[in-house]
Amino acid sequence: MALTHFTRSGDAHMVDVGDKAATRRRAVAEGWIRMEPETLSLIEQGGHGKGDVLGIARVAGIMGAKRTADLVPLCHPLSLTKVAIDLECRPGENAVRCRASVETRGQTGVEMEALCAVQVSLLTIYDMCKAVDRGMSMTDIRLVEKSGGRSGHWVRDRETSSSDS
Amino acid sequence: MALTHFTRSGDAHMVDVGDKAATRRRAVAEGWIRMEPETLSLIEQGGHGKGDVLGIARVAGIMGAKRTADLVPLCHPLSLTKVAIDLECRPGENAVRCRASVETRGQTGVEMEALCAVQVSLLTIYDMCKAVDRGMSMTDIRLVEKSGGRSGHWVRDRETSSSDS
Amino acid sequence: MALTHFTRSGDAHMVDVGDKAATRRRAVAEGWIRMEPETLSLIEQGGHGKGDVLGIARVAGIMGAKRTADLVPLCHPLSLTKVAIDLECRPGENAVRCRASVETRGQTGVEMEALCAVQVSLLTIYDMCKAVDRGMSMTDIRLVEKSGGRSGHWVRDRETSSSDS
Amino acid sequence: MALTHFTRSGDAHMVDVGDKAATRRRAVAEGWIRMEPETLSLIEQGGHGKGDVLGIARVAGIMGAKRTADLVPLCHPLSLTKVAIDLECRPGENAVRCRASVETRGQTGVEMEALCAVQVSLLTIYDMCKAVDRGMSMTDIRLVEKSGGRSGHWVRDRETSSSDS
Amino acid sequence: MALTHFTRSGDAHMVDVGDKAATRRRAVAEGWIRMEPETLSLIEQGGHGKGDVLGIARVAGIMGAKRTADLVPLCHPLSLTKVAIDLECRPGENAVRCRASVETRGQTGVEMEALCAVQVSLLTIYDMCKAVDRGMSMTDIRLVEKSGGRSGHWVRDRETSSSDS
Amino acid sequence: MALTHFTRSGDAHMVDVGDKAATRRRAVAEGWIRMEPETLSLIEQGGHGKGDVLGIARVAGIMGAKRTADLVPLCHPLSLTKVAIDLECRPGENAVRCRASVETRGQTGVEMEALCAVQVSLLTIYDMCKAVDRGMSMTDIRLVEKSGGRSGHWVRDRETSSSDS
């Protein structure tokens, strides 16, 4: 077994996808940012006109998806046909959960774009709340589902997903 | 208590830092990417000429620090005077740990740059290993230490840092 | 009637265009920058070897078209097959008129790229002339024509185009 | 009189500002996007949970201010200490008015950043509403006020500002 | 004979490629950076754990290929299907040779992407070695081979390639 | 002797410049693009209204200087106070010579920005002329002069500069 992003001599390269079919490809990723209960309350109040933290984090995540190939060195540049970000306050977990769905019609998958969208969304929440809660933690950022392409339909095993009750 | 990134009427803005002193500011952030033991072995072998995953992730993290203000909407653009990324394989935790130190001489802190560097480093590891391990998870991405500026020296309470034995 | 860039719950998303046909799409946009007659004279002299304001604004507009999806949050990233910028001094109106034509073969239209090209061209003229005329105004930036895609061929009603005598 | 962005031989250059004082510099710019009354109503309803057009346009404008030197060829790269965007529905004018305030402590002014923020905000409103109103027009984008630096305090003459009743 | 990047009136434009076939297109470019023998020795030792100059230059070149249309004004934005960078120490020539291969399935060629990758790779080597050798020179950066598209298969005449013994 | 861009353990980092003085720093770089005599004639005619190749290359070079820290992984982001590009047709050498002067007031030098400006200028000339002359070669790209900072005033030894008669 070897890592495909390296040649036999160990040099990094952007893998040749020229012979892959241009199919409908979709990926869903998720992640959490954990915080003090008071911080989560401030975010929830934002929905009532005091500063829409989640609205801004959603926009940042969508824009972040478009910057993936600029950030991840060996990632192929891609046209995206859809990006949606779902952000949900989870008081029982003292967390905001972010879920990103990304689609393309192309020769490579979009799991990197979905993960990047989650990361930038969570990072943006951190930025807006850091003055009141420096100890927040971004966690369990991972792929949930992936379809299209040679590797078929992949779904994360529910059992391993302990954070998501 | 209110979020400083919003005006009284709830509108987002880039906070005025024009009256803050331009001092030496430093931040350290960390995070983990958890994976199958076999995946970690492949990364460790990379140090022996089969593809330097960590070397590429380090470069990506350094470049990612420089893109922070492009990604995080309300983040101030900053000149950085130092960026260092430490990546360590942790076989006992089936994880790679990333730690980023960032410094500036300026009017705002660099915790966002340190966190962004960690995220882009971990994301790059994910990208290079995803063909063999789609279930990897990026976790416990958080600020470790921060100094300079009005808020003084902040250090994360060791106790809460359970992932770091 | 509702805005398509939002889900039913009011969340912004990048609209799914995956099922749209990849057709030849074209858009033309225009706009004016109004200025003092002396400023316009300086620009006109530029054609005679004293500083080619319009040549630089044209290049900036073409490059700006390529940055549209970086700037407009919900805009799809696109490959462009053609960008042309026409800049014309209009002494009777104390203005420079900019007209941008953009084409693609793709799943979404290019009106945003055409409008963005016009804005960046005009902004670049402002930049180069601001030292002599701070009061310039960029105005009547709008779509002129659009073809390709489901919405068919759209042409701006001549009557409403009062600035263009 | 000559344009400072060109050398005596007519070549464009980024003007030397190395000897200018690093002072507090501020600029305010404004602009309008005119639309059908029904479109404006949709935007106003957005404040009530149906899609926050103005919130997204505000974020886009702030991010746009940070990209100014990437877009305008001869513009100096700058650190910004403050960016604020005010967006106001003006039913009497069938328009949304955008006003951007930008500040820096530096060697050059920030009028380009303020104008760029206005343009990107308006462009983002256009993008989100174009499916219902293709004929919108962005207009009267101009500098309102500028202070700091050698040229002193400049305020646009109220009389010429006919759009702003 | 005329330059295709200009209209008949001499205005620059991004050439219309909308009617070109989307075929497999490939380009190979090369270039050298010449240096003191001691500098080359330091680079060669890097492979043995003292700092992997070539590994970082390779990543920078791959990322540089993706930024080509951002840098070269009239260049079409492109999806790339493959990028590979070969870097070789050439003690007999006191140089490192860089060779970049780029592929796409698209309507325009990728020679600009290949050349840009070479330039950014060499520039990155310069950056990392400049503290010990300020006099390095980047030289003979040129297209080696190009295939796909109307112009057919082009190969640089071996005779003219004197640097490559 | 060791490369400063690596730690003792061989890891790349962005070198700490926080203790360096913020002084006036200046760098001059140069480079050539060699071509067929007919291609050079076409460029020279461009000055007479048939397409201003050098004007566009100059703008691209200035913009390229601003992108240096985006392209070169370990390069510090910098504010630039001046960028000037001189392009000269040299019929005796069948070449265009590019010379870039860059200045900053800061903690690191600007030789990378000057070299990057030269490279992007030459690359842009290549792009605009490639349809008529695929065999052009970019050569002798190197630092000419550097001042400011600890290393003092460095000037390239005239003798080694054989291309520059």
Side-chain angles (χ1 to χ4, degrees):
Chain A
M1 194 165 64
L3 298 175
T4 52
H5 284 67
F6 298 93
T7 62
R8 280 188 197 175
S9 52
D11 294 346
H13 63 152
M14 190 195 284
V15 177
D16 188 355
V17 298
D19 291 328
K20 288 177 147 190
T23 61
R24 180 176 186 264
R25 292 160 191 270
R26 180 171 174 264
V28 181
E30 68 182 5
W32 279 260
I33 180 166
R34 302 193 187 284
M35 57 188 67
E36 296 298 327
E38 294 75 19
T39 315
L40 192 62
S41 294
L42 280 172
I43 292 175
E44 290 182 297
Q45 288 164 27
H48 308 290
K50 293 211 177 164
D52 185 10
V53 171
L54 300 188
I56 293 171
R58 191 180 294 115
V59 170
I62 292 169
M63 296 179 86
K66 294 191 267 186
R67 310 300 295 270
T68 307
D70 273 358
L71 297 171
V72 180
L74 306 180
C75 212
H76 295 82
L78 272 184
S79 290
L80 305 177
T81 54
K82 181 195 159 183
V83 182
I85 311 267
D86 180 66
L87 289 157
E88 197 184 322
C89 287
R90 298 235 169 161
E93 302 175 66
N94 290 329
V96 175
R97 193 197 64 172
C98 177
R99 204 174 255 255
S101 304
V102 180
E103 293 190 24
T104 193
R105 294 294 184 283
Q107 294 175 299
T108 51
V110 285
E111 59 262 62
M112 297 316 299
E113 282 74 11
L115 287 163
C116 190
V118 170
Q119 283 191 328
V120 175
S121 278
L122 299 180
L123 197 60
T124 299
I125 294 174
Y126 187 97
D127 181 47
M128 286 186 284
C129 298
K130 68 180 191 291
V132 299
D133 186 0
R134 199 150 274 138
M136 288 173 287
S137 165
M138 292 166 277
T139 192
D140 295 309
I141 302 165
R142 58 202 183 187
L143 191 64
V144 173
E145 190 178 344
K146 179 183 188 301
S147 64
R150 250 181 325 211
S151 61
H153 193 179
W154 181 91
V155 183
R156 173 174 287 272
D157 183 8
R158 272 330 14 222
E159 270 81 324
T160 69
S161 185
S162 60
S163 305
D164 189 7
S165 53
Chain B
M1 195 165 64
L3 298 175
T4 52
H5 284 67
F6 296 94
T7 62
R8 281 189 196 175
S9 52
D11 294 345
H13 63 152
M14 189 194 286
V15 177
D16 188 355
V17 298
D19 291 328
K20 288 177 146 190
T23 62
R24 180 176 186 264
R25 292 160 191 270
R26 181 170 174 263
V28 181
E30 68 182 6
W32 279 259
I33 180 165
R34 301 191 187 284
M35 58 189 67
E36 296 298 327
E38 294 76 17
T39 314
L40 192 61
S41 294
L42 279 172
I43 292 175
E44 290 182 297
Q45 288 163 28
H48 308 292
K50 293 212 177 162
D52 185 9
V53 171
L54 300 187
I56 294 171
R58 192 180 295 114
V59 170
I62 292 169
M63 296 179 86
K66 294 191 266 187
R67 310 301 295 270
T68 308
D70 273 358
L71 297 171
V72 180
L74 306 179
C75 212
H76 296 81
L78 273 184
S79 289
L80 305 177
T81 55
K82 181 195 159 182
V83 182
I85 311 266
D86 180 66
L87 289 158
E88 197 184 321
C89 288
R90 298 235 170 161
E93 302 175 66
N94 290 329
V96 175
R97 193 197 65 171
C98 178
R99 204 174 256 255
S101 304
V102 180
E103 293 190 24
T104 193
R105 294 294 184 284
Q107 294 175 299
T108 51
V110 285
E111 59 261 62
M112 296 315 298
E113 282 75 10
L115 287 163
C116 189
V118 170
Q119 282 192 328
V120 175
S121 277
L122 298 180
L123 195 60
T124 299
I125 294 174
Y126 187 96
D127 181 47
M128 286 186 283
C129 299
K130 68 180 191 291
V132 299
D133 186 359
R134 199 150 274 137
M136 288 174 287
S137 165
M138 292 166 277
T139 189
D140 295 308
I141 301 164
R142 58 203 184 185
L143 191 63
V144 173
E145 190 178 344
K146 178 183 188 301
S147 63
R150 250 181 325 210
S151 61
H153 193 178
W154 181 91
V155 183
R156 173 174 287 272
D157 182 7
R158 260 7 330 245
E159 270 82 324
T160 68
S161 185
S162 61
S163 305
D164 189 6
S165 55
Chain C
M1 193 166 62
L3 299 174
T4 53
H5 283 67
F6 297 93
T7 62
R8 279 187 197 176
S9 52
D11 293 346
H13 63 151
M14 190 195 284
V15 178
D16 188 356
V17 299
D19 291 328
K20 288 178 148 189
T23 60
R24 179 174 187 265
R25 292 161 191 271
R26 180 170 175 264
V28 180
E30 68 181 6
W32 279 257
I33 179 166
R34 300 191 188 284
M35 58 188 68
E36 297 296 326
E38 293 75 16
T39 314
L40 191 62
S41 293
L42 279 171
I43 292 175
E44 290 181 298
Q45 287 162 28
H48 308 293
K50 293 211 177 163
D52 184 10
V53 171
L54 300 187
I56 293 171
R58 192 180 294 115
V59 170
I62 292 170
M63 296 180 86
K66 295 191 266 185
R67 310 301 295 271
T68 307
D70 274 357
L71 296 171
V72 180
L74 306 179
C75 210
H76 295 81
L78 272 186
S79 290
L80 305 177
T81 54
K82 181 195 160 182
V83 182
I85 311 268
D86 180 66
L87 289 158
E88 197 184 322
C89 287
R90 298 236 172 160
E93 302 175 66
N94 289 330
V96 175
R97 192 197 66 173
C98 177
R99 202 173 257 253
S101 305
V102 180
E103 293 190 23
T104 193
R105 295 295 183 282
Q107 294 175 298
T108 50
V110 286
E111 60 260 62
M112 296 315 298
E113 282 75 10
L115 286 163
C116 190
V118 170
Q119 282 192 327
V120 175
S121 277
L122 298 180
L123 197 59
T124 299
I125 293 174
Y126 187 97
D127 181 49
M128 286 185 285
C129 298
K130 69 181 189 293
V132 299
D133 186 359
R134 199 151 274 138
M136 288 173 287
S137 165
M138 293 166 278
T139 192
D140 295 308
I141 301 165
R142 57 200 184 189
L143 191 64
V144 172
E145 190 177 346
K146 180 185 187 300
S147 63
R150 249 182 327 213
S151 61
H153 193 178
W154 181 89
V155 183
R156 174 174 287 272
D157 183 8
R158 280 303 48 206
E159 272 82 321
T160 70
S161 185
S162 60
S163 305
D164 189 9
S165 53
Chain D
M1 195 165 60
L3 298 174
T4 52
H5 284 67
F6 297 94
T7 61
R8 279 188 197 175
S9 51
D11 294 345
H13 63 149
M14 189 194 287
V15 177
D16 188 356
V17 299
D19 291 327
K20 286 178 150 190
T23 61
R24 178 175 187 264
R25 291 162 191 270
R26 179 171 176 264
V28 181
E30 67 182 6
W32 279 258
I33 180 165
R34 302 191 186 285
M35 57 188 68
E36 296 298 326
E38 293 76 18
T39 313
L40 192 62
S41 294
L42 279 171
I43 292 175
E44 290 182 297
Q45 288 162 29
H48 308 292
K50 293 210 178 164
D52 185 10
V53 171
L54 301 187
I56 294 171
R58 192 180 294 114
V59 171
I62 292 170
M63 297 179 85
K66 294 191 268 187
R67 310 302 295 272
T68 308
D70 273 357
L71 297 171
V72 180
L74 306 179
C75 210
H76 295 82
L78 271 186
S79 290
L80 305 177
T81 55
K82 181 194 159 181
V83 182
I85 311 268
D86 179 66
L87 289 159
E88 197 185 322
C89 287
R90 299 233 168 161
E93 302 176 67
N94 291 329
V96 176
R97 192 198 66 172
C98 176
R99 203 174 257 254
S101 304
V102 180
E103 293 190 22
T104 193
R105 294 293 185 284
Q107 294 176 300
T108 51
V110 286
E111 60 261 63
M112 296 317 297
E113 282 75 10
L115 287 163
C116 190
V118 170
Q119 282 191 327
V120 175
S121 278
L122 299 180
L123 196 60
T124 299
I125 294 174
Y126 187 96
D127 181 47
M128 287 186 283
C129 299
K130 68 181 189 290
V132 299
D133 186 0
R134 198 150 274 137
M136 287 173 288
S137 165
M138 292 167 276
T139 190
D140 295 309
I141 301 165
R142 59 201 182 186
L143 191 63
V144 173
E145 191 178 345
K146 179 183 188 300
S147 63
R150 248 182 326 213
S151 61
H153 193 177
W154 182 90
V155 183
R156 174 174 287 273
D157 183 7
R158 269 341 0 231
E159 272 82 323
T160 69
S161 186
S162 59
S163 305
D164 189 8
S165 56
Chain E
M1 196 166 62
L3 298 174
T4 52
H5 285 66
F6 297 93
T7 61
R8 278 189 198 176
S9 52
D11 294 344
H13 63 150
M14 189 194 285
V15 176
D16 188 356
V17 299
D19 291 328
K20 286 178 150 189
T23 61
R24 178 176 187 264
R25 291 162 192 269
R26 180 172 175 264
V28 180
E30 68 182 7
W32 280 257
I33 180 165
R34 302 191 186 284
M35 58 188 67
E36 297 297 326
E38 295 75 18
T39 313
L40 191 62
S41 294
L42 280 171
I43 292 174
E44 290 181 297
Q45 288 163 27
H48 308 292
K50 294 210 178 164
D52 185 10
V53 170
L54 300 188
I56 294 171
R58 192 180 294 115
V59 171
I62 293 170
M63 296 180 85
K66 295 192 266 186
R67 309 302 295 273
T68 308
D70 273 358
L71 297 170
V72 181
L74 306 179
C75 211
H76 295 81
L78 271 185
S79 289
L80 305 178
T81 55
K82 181 194 158 181
V83 182
I85 311 268
D86 180 67
L87 290 158
E88 198 184 321
C89 287
R90 300 235 169 160
E93 302 176 68
N94 290 329
V96 176
R97 192 199 66 172
C98 177
R99 202 173 258 254
S101 304
V102 180
E103 292 190 23
T104 193
R105 295 293 184 281
Q107 294 175 300
T108 51
V110 286
E111 59 261 61
M112 296 316 297
E113 282 75 10
L115 287 163
C116 190
V118 170
Q119 283 192 327
V120 175
S121 277
L122 299 179
L123 196 59
T124 299
I125 294 174
Y126 188 97
D127 181 47
M128 287 186 283
C129 298
K130 69 180 189 292
V132 299
D133 186 0
R134 198 150 275 136
M136 288 173 287
S137 165
M138 293 167 276
T139 191
D140 295 309
I141 301 165
R142 58 202 183 186
L143 191 63
V144 173
E145 191 177 344
K146 179 183 188 299
S147 63
R150 247 182 327 214
S151 62
H153 192 176
W154 182 90
V155 183
R156 173 175 288 272
D157 182 7
R158 278 312 38 212
E159 271 81 325
T160 69
S161 185
S162 59
S163 305
D164 189 8
S165 54
Chain F
M1 194 165 65
L3 298 174
T4 52
H5 284 67
F6 297 94
T7 62
R8 279 189 198 177
S9 52
D11 294 346
H13 62 151
M14 190 194 285
V15 177
D16 188 357
V17 298
D19 291 328
K20 287 179 147 187
T23 60
R24 179 174 186 264
R25 292 161 191 271
R26 179 169 176 265
V28 180
E30 68 181 6
W32 279 258
I33 180 166
R34 300 191 188 285
M35 58 189 67
E36 297 297 326
E38 293 75 17
T39 314
L40 192 62
S41 294
L42 279 171
I43 292 174
E44 290 181 298
Q45 288 163 27
H48 308 293
K50 293 211 177 164
D52 184 9
V53 171
L54 300 187
I56 294 171
R58 193 181 294 114
V59 170
I62 292 170
M63 297 180 87
K66 295 192 266 186
R67 310 301 296 272
T68 307
D70 274 357
L71 296 171
V72 181
L74 307 178
C75 210
H76 295 81
L78 272 185
S79 290
L80 305 177
T81 54
K82 180 193 159 181
V83 183
I85 311 267
D86 180 66
L87 289 158
E88 197 184 322
C89 286
R90 297 233 171 162
E93 302 175 66
N94 289 330
V96 175
R97 192 197 66 172
C98 177
R99 203 174 256 253
S101 304
V102 179
E103 292 189 23
T104 193
R105 294 294 184 283
Q107 294 176 298
T108 51
V110 286
E111 59 261 62
M112 296 315 298
E113 283 74 10
L115 287 163
C116 190
V118 170
Q119 283 192 328
V120 175
S121 278
L122 298 180
L123 196 60
T124 299
I125 294 174
Y126 187 96
D127 181 49
M128 286 185 285
C129 298
K130 69 180 190 291
V132 299
D133 186 0
R134 199 151 275 137
M136 288 173 287
S137 166
M138 292 166 277
T139 191
D140 295 308
I141 301 165
R142 58 201 184 187
L143 190 64
V144 173
E145 190 177 345
K146 179 184 187 302
S147 63
R150 250 183 325 215
S151 61
H153 193 178
W154 181 91
V155 183
R156 175 174 286 273
D157 183 7
R158 266 348 351 234
E159 272 81 322
T160 70
S161 184
S162 60
S163 305
D164 189 8
S165 54

